[in-house]
Amino acid sequence: MLLSFNYLSGSPGPSGFGSKSTAEHVTASLPPSFTAIITGATSGIGAETARILAKRGARLILPSRNIKAAEETKARIESECSDSEIIVMSLDLSSLSSVRTFVSQFESLNLPLNLLINNAGKFSHEHAITEDGIEMTFATNYLGHFLLTKLLVNKMVETAKVTGVEGRIVNVSSSIHGWFSGDILKYLGQISRNKSRNYDATRAYALSKLANVLHTHELARRFKQMGANVTVNCVHPGIVRTRLTRDREGFITDLVFFMASKLLKTIPQAAATTCYVATNPRLRHVTGKYFVDCNESSPSKLAGSPSEAARLWSASEIMVNANSKLLFDPNNALE
């Protein structure tokens, strides 16, 4: 009850911010040559996050499957921040080969990397399998980001060591992660069949967002073990209408969002938690945490399981292996 009241009233939490805070309110200027990669920055929360970080002095890398949309985002930001440096690059998170190509091209730029925001998200209403044999929502929301992060970690650790500026990774999850229960890998195996009778779009989305939280916990543990000056945290941005609903535009969708409008955040409010966790100096050395409304919160019991995090990590390492089809077949191996 108290949490609901605080959300509706916008009462600030221990951080001094709350559900009504905006991305502009929670950020301050960034160090010189600060470089950030933001996935899913062509619209909605990602675009607002990119705009605010550019205003705070960040050099932005905007990877996108839709280059035209990314260029339009770049133009909008540059019209407001004329001195911003923004680089648009091609990336399809549902394709592991595309992720590898993007990282190779980014490394050729010889730029530092201070911040990685894994923001892109997809809600596949229709069942689909990627070229790598993985269910589309899971592949886009989690597995592509897992590989992207894995391939960029060394650059982030090196940048933090050379500059003395803490590197940060932010995984954008959702409170919907708590809707998933059961065996993670078994369900992934079931929905990664070409003809799945077990596919439930909402459950598949919840699974992908649960995976984001588990990834955060295990990566934080590994960073601590390494002694790396890089943190990783995950966030629930709040409920807001974005292009995530693009597959179901129409009267019913419009009506539902109109009726729920008092409970929805604006996009600047929804981007606040991501920007807070990405930049606020109060969170120095804070890692492996889950944030809601710019304050630390508790994820679901399953999301907090170290054994599940380690189990998912091991399976993910196999899935992103170039020879994964020889090592790991979710259609058969996860019954």
Side-chain angles (χ1 to χ4, degrees):
M1 183 66 73
L2 180 59
L3 291 176
S4 298
F5 174 79
N6 288 341
Y7 173 80
L8 293 172
S9 67
S11 299
S15 68
F17 304 112
S19 63
K20 304 301 183 185
S21 300
T22 68
E24 194 131 18
H25 294 152
V26 303
T27 53
S29 296
L30 296 167
S33 302
F34 189 94
T35 302
I37 294 176
I38 311 170
T39 68
T42 58
S43 64
I45 296 168
E48 176 66 3
T49 299
R51 184 183 76 86
I52 294 301
L53 293 182
K55 288 186 70 173
R56 300 299 182 243
R59 175 197 289 121
L60 301 181
I61 310 297
L62 303 185
S64 178
R65 186 176 60 176
N66 187 336
I67 295 297
K68 180 181 177 183
E71 291 288 358
E72 290 171 351
T73 299
K74 175 182 176 179
R76 287 194 298 271
I77 295 173
E78 288 179 337
S79 69
E80 183 178 352
C81 313
S82 58
D83 58 346
S84 58
E85 182 181 352
I86 304 173
I87 301 171
V88 169
M89 299 179 68
S90 178
L91 172 62
D92 179 354
L93 283 160
S94 71
S95 165
L96 298 179
S97 64
S98 177
V99 174
R100 292 189 181 93
T101 298
F102 165 78
V103 172
S104 177
Q105 292 174 345
F106 171 73
E107 288 176 340
S108 71
L109 299 176
N110 293 317
L111 293 174
L113 182 57
N114 307 93
L115 173 63
L116 171 62
I117 300 181
N118 292 319
N119 166 81
K122 182 178 181 65
F123 188 111
S124 295
H125 290 270
E126 302 299 328
H127 182 252
I129 304 296
T130 71
E131 63 188 37
D132 301 294
I134 305 296
E135 187 275 325
M136 181 63 74
T137 297
F138 185 87
T140 304
N141 295 357
Y142 167 70
L143 195 62
H145 283 127
F146 175 87
L147 179 59
L148 179 66
T149 304
K150 172 184 170 68
L151 297 177
L152 291 172
V153 158
N154 287 342
K155 171 62 73 173
M156 296 196 72
V157 171
E158 176 190 346
T159 299
K161 186 174 182 179
V162 170
T163 63
V165 177
E166 180 182 80
R168 294 189 182 184
I169 298 171
V170 182
N171 290 329
V172 178
S173 181
S174 167
S175 62
I176 292 174
H177 80 269
W179 294 11
F180 184 89
S181 61
D183 189 307
I184 296 169
L185 298 184
K186 183 176 181 180
Y187 184 64
L188 175 61
Q190 291 171 349
I191 63 175
S192 289
R193 293 188 175 97
N194 285 326
K195 293 183 179 180
S196 174
R197 289 176 294 181
N198 297 289
Y199 188 71
D200 178 297
T202 301
R203 192 173 186 217
Y205 182 76
L207 170 64
S208 71
K209 291 301 171 181
L210 171 62
N212 293 146
V213 185
L214 292 170
H215 177 217
T216 299
H217 291 323
E218 179 63 14
L219 183 56
R221 186 189 70 78
R222 289 168 181 257
F223 277 145
K224 287 179 179 178
Q225 200 171 51
M226 292 167 58
N229 188 23
V230 180
T231 64
V232 54
N233 293 288
C234 59
V235 305
H236 165 56
I239 304 171
V240 60
R241 184 171 189 182
T242 70
R243 293 191 68 244
L244 197 65
T245 63
R246 58 186 172 270
D247 292 341
R248 283 292 183 272
E249 294 295 333
F251 174 75
I252 297 299
T253 302
D254 292 340
L255 179 62
V256 169
F257 274 93
F258 173 76
M259 294 174 65
S261 61
K262 296 301 181 182
L263 301 177
L264 299 182
K265 286 186 174 185
T266 65
I267 287 176
Q269 290 169 348
T273 305
T274 299
C275 289
Y276 173 75
V277 173
T279 67
N280 199 284
R282 290 186 60 174
L283 297 186
R284 192 162 178 259
H285 302 320
V286 174
T287 191
K289 304 300 182 182
Y290 176 72
F291 287 83
V292 178
D293 297 334
C294 298
N295 288 278
E296 189 178 331
S297 188
S298 297
S300 71
K301 183 178 179 180
L302 184 58
S305 168
S307 61
E308 284 299 309
R311 181 169 174 250
L312 176 64
W313 185 285
S314 296
S316 301
E317 288 277 19
I318 296 172
M319 283 187 276
V320 301
N321 186 289
N323 298 313
S324 62
K325 290 189 177 181
L326 298 176
L327 299 171
F328 179 90
D329 182 356
N331 296 335
N332 299 315
L334 299 177
E335 297 295 337

